[in-house]
Every structure is written in structure tokens, then in C-alpha cells.
Amino acid sequence: MKKLINSPDAVIPDALRGLAAAHPGLNVDVENRIISRAERTPGKVGLVSGGGSGHEPLHGGYVGRGMLDAAAPGEVYTSPVPDQILAATEAADAGAGVLHIVKNYTGDVLNFRMAAELAEDDDVRVVSVVINDDVAVEDSTFTAGRRGVGGTIVAEKVAGAAAEEGADLDTVAQLAREVNERSRSFAIALHAGTVPAAGKPGFELAGNEVEIGVGIHGEPGRQRGEFAPVKDLVGYALDAIHADLPVSGDVLVIMNGQGGTPLIELYGAFAEAADWLQGHGATVARNLVGNYITSLDQAGFSITVTSLTDELVRLWDAPVSTPALRWGV
Amino acid sequence: MKKLINSPDAVIPDALRGLAAAHPGLNVDVENRIISRAERTPGKVGLVSGGGSGHEPLHGGYVGRGMLDAAAPGEVYTSPVPDQILAATEAADAGAGVLHIVKNYTGDVLNFRMAAELAEDDDVRVVSVVINDDVAVEDSTFTAGRRGVGGTIVAEKVAGAAAEEGADLDTVAQLAREVNERSRSFAIALHAGTVPAAGKPGFELAGNEVEIGVGIHGEPGRQRGEFAPVKDLVGYALDAIHADLPVSGDVLVIMNGQGGTPLIELYGAFAEAADWLQGHGATVARNLVGNYITSLDQAGFSITVTSLTDELVRLWDAPVSTPALRWGV
């Protein structure tokens, strides 16, 4: 499987060099793998996230005004190490404490916890919020409990906007928790992605098969299912979400590509999602359609639905200036 | 090849329904396949583009404030028809004439010309600018002369900003021409994309092969070459651009994905491009990294380099609010 890389070892440092060259508003420490905002606001709550690489633009692409202060990318599909998360935490600390937004994977949770303890030893107050919005499976290859996926983006955006406005650490953390409680996601894969070091797709699907409830590392979901029209696949995903947390009122929908699915297909999938939601009495008040949390070049989609309040809409709409999300500035 | 679609026939109407549902600021005529801005500014020069579908976000994703007024998407990899382009032209006309930005493909050029003649019959003044920035080949499968590719995005942005400021039709057209003269592009594919109706990849590459100078429909470029590290592939592309129009001074670089290449790889490719350009005395003053002109799910990249002036930088930086490019608002 050909990849646009120099070598499997160089994928992450090369991508970080590119991020640095493309976005002068970011400080990118290529050696220690930390992406942080060049501009700091004294007294602002700091926001840090991180996790395995391969999910770009998550998380480095969400560092900037109105969202994260720092991100720590691990190896492909591998958690960042505690020292790296600690350094990101210190980069984000501006005297008002730091929020860790952690996707629920065993390695991430452990390493963020260790980093938080080390930061507290240095008198940086840290609060952690664990995101676990994927309704596909209760426990999985890499998790106890549900996996954290697309709801993370919403939590980072909403909490980031509140921090920018000067909210304190407990308020910012509570907003991230509220987003998690109000968000549900589900993913279906059509073709596996390829980890550069492995050189071949992470799993094999027959020509008439899809992986229903797939994880962001290509890990198994609920079952192998039969390939079907996008309307049925999107309907399956939304049925699963709705069964867990009934949709109603105003919702934010992220129709997310897994990296290898073209935008023309994602818009078709979004059309089906909008119809389904309207048919169930919900209104798509805000949306994103595109590649926001990926699995390298995996083909497929995930849907994230967040039940909105007026306050969440206001924070979602607040100005943001990051590589992957930018509006109002 | 599984696709996230209902049926090959439904791909475009479904995507247009999705575009309409996602972006309330657009008027989307699904039946006649015209995307236009919901808000009109009387007396503003209208901008229209279009071409085959499969290159999303081009062109529908560039309709909005500061860029296009209307777009006409054809079938996948097939030109829009003259009546459709005429309707888009009429939707864009606000009394100051309309600019057609046309990628140099035989079908597009002919059909836009017929539409322009029909519009003139209706007393709408039309000026056409043909974009032909691809240095890979002189004539090709679908063109007499060079193909039009990524420079189109720059032309649409710069001309759109000028129109928004109230520039007249000749000035706006001249800016689009200037962008074309100052822009050069080159693409390399690693794996072919799949047209939904065909159901299988458009061409076959061996495990050690790449298509050098590939077109946006997967059409042949200069040669089949050997797969190589990204540094070499990017260097080859920039050598070809530099041989045609030497790079110098401030440049805008679009490191574009063809739809199936993940962002982590595109950032690595951008790092190589930035190094190469710096080594040749040019400065990357502005950039885009991501999927901006695609070939369905084809894997690979294209590079567009535009030699900047202060005026072009100013117009590039001007506010834009479209599905695919948004800043300053």
C-alpha cells in the first residue's frame, strides 16, 4: 500500500514540520511532539487534548484561539506518553489551571492521569473530562466502557470558547462534561485504513461487507454487516444513537469522513441524516460535513449528534481560529 | 468498490440535497443542478464556475460571500450543459455582468462559450477566463492545451474578493487572468479513484508505480514513474513547476489531496514543499493544506504555486464565507 511518506518512522515528525510551516500561529515542538498556541492569554484556563496520531485534524488541527491551547500527538494509533502530556499541560498553563479532554481509551486515560498527577506536583491544577460518546459497543479492544470519538470535537470547541471568555476551570470542565452527556456517535467502515508501519489494511472486508460500529483505529464494532445504500447505513447509525439518547429539538450533527471517503459521498450521507432527523422531530441547527476525526485513509463515515441548548449554540458559534475550524475571525 | 451512495444515478442529487441541508446560505436547485448564493448584492459583478462533479469541494463548496455567486456541477467527470450554465449565469447576474471561470477542458470550454452566447442574447454581459495552470502536459485526453486545476481556486478567491469590493467586470476578469498567469500546478497519483457508475478504479497502478502528472479525472500525465519517498515526489512536482515558471518571492502554495490521501500525509508533503521552496529562494506567504480539488477517492496530491503580489495577498486575505473556505467572517 503506497503512502505519501518518507518512511514509516518519519510520518509524525514530517507532519509536525508541515503543521509548523503551514500555521505560524502555532508553536510546534517536533522533537517532543507538542503543538501549542504561540499567543498566550494570562489567567485563561488552558485546554489540552491528545491521543494517537492518524486521526487528523484531531487534535493538532484544533489548537488555536477559541479551542485547544496544546495537543500531544502519540505514535499512530498509540497514546502519547505522560511526560509529553505534562509538557503540553505546562505549555497550556496560564495560571488558571488546565482542562484535560481525554478520549476514553485505556492508554490515553492512564497516561493523562499520570501527567495530571505530575502537573499537580508542579502546582498546576488539572481537571480531566473523559469523552465516551460512541454508542457502538460498551467495552472494546482498547477501552473499558465506551470509546471517545467525534463528541470530542464539540467538547473542545465549546469548552475552548468558554475558556476564551474567561470562565473558570470548573465551569469549563462542566461544559465539556455537558457536551459529552449530550453527544452520541456511531461509525461504519467500508474499507480499512492502512497504518504506515504495517503497510497493509488493518482488517479485511469482503466486497459485500461493512464494519458496523467500527472504532477510530479500525477496531471491531458490533458486527460485520451487509453493504447497503447510504440511506440504510445512515439510518442504522442514527437508530443506534436514538436508541441510546432519543434525539429531539435542536441538534448539532457532524457527518464525518474517516479519511478515505470523498466529500461528494459525505454530503449524500448528510442529506440522509438530515431527512432522518427531521422525520424524528429533531432540527439540524448546526453541522459539519467533512473529515474531522479520521482513521488514516479508512473509507466510511461517523455521525455525531449533540443535543443543543442556547448556551451550547452560542459557544459553538463563538469565534475560532485553528487549522481545521475557523470562523468569526 | 463499495461507495457511500444510494445508487450511481443518485450521487449528484443526493450530494446537492446534502449541500442544501448543510448550508442555508446557499440556494440549491437540485433538479437543475445549480448552486447559488441566497443573498444577492445589486450591482456586483457575478462569478460563475462549474465543471464535472467528483472534484468537491470544487465548485459548489466555493459559492458564497467573497467567492462564487453560482456554480453548475455536471455529471461525474462530465461538463455541465449550456442551459445549466446559462441558468447559473442568470442567477449570478446582478446588473454588472458575469465572469465565467472555466477550467480548460474541451467540453467545459465549449459549453461555457455556448452559455455565454445565450446570456449575451439575454443582454447579460459575460467575460470568460480560462484557467490552464497544469504544467504536466501540453495537450491531454480532455484538452487542447494545458489542463485547468488548482489555480482555479485561487482565481475564484481573488476575483471573488475584488467583485465583493465593487470592482467592475473587466477588472475582475483581469485579476482572474493574472492569477492564472502566475499559477502553476502539478499532480501525482498513488492509487486511482473510482467513478461510482464504473464501480472500479479508473486505472491500474502496480505496487511500485505512480502516475506522474496525473489529471483530475485520473487521465494520464507524463509517465508512469517509480514510487518514491514523498520528498522526491514533491521535488519532482516542484521541479516541473519551477522549470515552467521559476519560483521566487512570496508564493501561495496549495498542498491539495486528491480525496483519498489522509491529512497526516498532506502535512508531510507540505513540509517537503516548504523546504524545497525555501531552498529555491521563495517564501511560502500563504497556504492551504487539505482536500480542495479532488478526484473522488483518488490517492495522491497536487501542488499549486501562485506567485503573489501585495494586491493578490490582500484579496486572498479578504473575508470569505463558503462551505470550503471561510475566514474573516
Side-chain angles (χ1 to χ4, degrees), chain A residues 39-147:
Chain A
E39 275 183 24
R40 304 288 304 285
T41 307
K44 189 185 89 66
V45 168
L47 266 74
V48 173
S49 193
S53 291
H55 308 300
E56 291 67 27
L58 197 79
H59 296 274
Y62 300 125
V63 176
R65 180 175 159 199
M67 224 164 156
L68 298 178
D69 293 278
E75 292 291 329
V76 171
Y77 293 175
T78 304
S79 299
V81 297
D83 278 353
Q84 182 188 0
I85 302 167
L86 174 63
T89 304
E90 285 171 349
D93 176 38
V98 174
L99 175 67
H100 282 179
I101 298 179
V102 186
K103 301 195 299 306
N104 189 37
Y105 298 97
T106 305
D108 288 354
V109 170
L110 284 174
N111 290 357
F112 269 91
R113 188 180 302 153
M114 284 180 67
E117 285 167 10
L118 294 168
E120 300 269 358
D121 291 346
D122 294 345
D123 293 322
V124 177
R125 188 176 164 225
V126 175
V127 174
S128 294
V129 172
V130 175
I131 306 295
N132 61 347
D133 56 315
D134 185 346
V135 303
V137 287
E138 271 306 316
D139 297 311
S140 73
T141 315
F142 302 118
T143 60
R146 292 179 173 189
R147 302 175 298 215

Side-chain angles (χ1 to χ4, degrees), chain A residues 2-6 17-18 22-23 190 206-207 209 227 230-231 265 267 272 275 287 296 326-329, chain B residues 2-6 17-18 22-23 190 206 209 227 230-231 265 267 270 272 275 287 326-329:
Chain A
K2 285 162 283 186
K3 306 287 266 179
L4 195 61
I5 62 176
N6 286 313
R17 285 195 300 120
H23 306 289
L190 275 59
E209 278 183 337
F227 178 54
V230 63
K231 180 183 175 128
E265 296 181 27
Y267 271 109
E272 300 303 342
D275 281 357
N287 71 83
L296 297 164
R326 184 171 172 188
W327 57 70
V329 278
Chain B
K2 284 162 283 187
K3 307 286 267 179
L4 195 60
I5 63 176
N6 285 314
R17 285 195 299 122
H23 305 290
L190 275 59
E209 278 184 336
F227 178 54
V230 63
K231 180 183 174 122
E265 296 181 27
Y267 270 108
F270 181 75
E272 300 302 342
D275 281 358
N287 70 83
R326 184 171 172 189
W327 56 70
V329 280

Side-chain angles (χ1 to χ4, degrees), chain B residues 12-18 20 27-35:
Chain B
I12 292 163
D14 284 350
L16 291 175
R17 285 195 299 122
N27 283 334
V28 181
D29 180 339
V30 176
E31 193 183 347
N32 297 303
R33 302 191 181 182
I34 295 154
I35 300 147

Side-chain angles (χ1 to χ4, degrees), chain B residues 152-169:
Chain B
T152 314
I153 299 157
V154 189
E156 291 174 1
K157 173 67 184 76
V158 164
E164 209 71 44
E165 290 178 353
D168 65 20
L169 180 55

